[in-house]
Amino acid sequence: MDEESLEEIAKVYEMVIDAGVHRAESIKVAEAAKVIENSQRDINIAFMNELSIIFNRLEIDTKAVLEAAGTKWNFLRKKNK
């Protein structure tokens, strides 16, 4: 809501987040970014689930497909936590 709130909240997040904290220019920008990030993740999950169903019907091993696709430089791999 304001600079003081931003700094206080960022300090809290920095205690638990190793990747760093991005200070968006406004709360509207931060919330819009969150919508995009969540939507992108949900779409990717749904897409992979649908592909897995198709591969299963074609008797193709989804894991083998993902391993092969993972050899491409631009394939978005699952991040290990």
Side-chain angles (χ1 to χ4, degrees):
M1 291 178 24
D2 58 32
E3 192 67 30
E4 183 181 347
S5 299
L6 173 62
E7 289 307 315
E8 193 66 30
I9 293 166
K11 286 178 189 175
V12 171
Y13 271 88
E14 287 169 342
M15 287 190 236
V16 294
I17 303 295
D18 292 330
V21 175
H22 176 77
R23 289 163 172 82
E25 65 184 58
S26 71
I27 196 165
K28 288 182 180 181
V29 169
E31 289 299 321
K34 186 169 73 171
V35 167
I36 290 173
E37 179 187 16
N38 290 339
S39 298
Q40 184 180 44
R41 182 184 60 247
D42 292 346
I43 290 166
N44 285 339
I45 290 168
F47 179 58
M48 292 310 299
N49 286 339
E50 291 298 318
L51 287 176
S52 181
I53 291 167
I54 293 167
F55 297 152
N56 187 41
R57 289 181 182 166
L58 296 172
E59 298 180 357
I60 299 171
D61 181 3
T62 300
K63 185 175 179 183
V65 173
L66 292 173
E67 287 174 2
T71 65
K72 308 304 178 203
W73 70 270
N74 59 343
F75 182 73
L76 299 175
R77 292 175 185 83
K78 175 185 168 191
K79 294 180 182 178
N80 294 325
K81 291 185 178 185

